[in-house]
Amino acid sequence: MRTEQIVAKALKVTGGDRYKLSLMISKRAEQLAAGEPPLIDNVDTRRMKFADIAILELAEGKIALDGIVDKD
């Protein structure tokens, strides 16, 4: 799957909200950099950047956004 297709699929998960998408990717990339194992099994992640792994995990529905509260 091409990068543009993966990002479009991940963007659908966030309801089209690019801010939430970037927040989710950055938080997950931080977790991966800190040593958390990738949640995707069928892809060789040894040569992938943490942000690319996070986008792929999001597109496949392996991670979800919790803890964001809309304040009025």
Side-chain angles (χ1 to χ4, degrees), residues 32 38 40 43-54 56:
L32 291 166
I40 48 177
V43 179
D44 182 18
T45 58
R46 291 178 289 176
R47 293 186 157 197
M48 294 176 71
K49 297 176 184 175
F50 295 130
D52 295 336
I53 297 169
L56 193 54

Side-chain angles (χ1 to χ4, degrees), residues 6 9 14 18 22 28 41 69:
I6 295 169
K9 192 174 179 182
T14 63
R18 293 179 186 271
S22 65
R28 181 60 183 149
D41 298 326
V69 178

Side-chain angles (χ1 to χ4, degrees), residues 50-69:
F50 295 130
D52 295 336
I53 297 169
I55 292 170
L56 193 54
E57 289 177 344
L58 180 59
E60 291 186 3
K62 302 285 184 176
I63 56 175
L65 180 63
D66 292 331
I68 289 187
V69 178

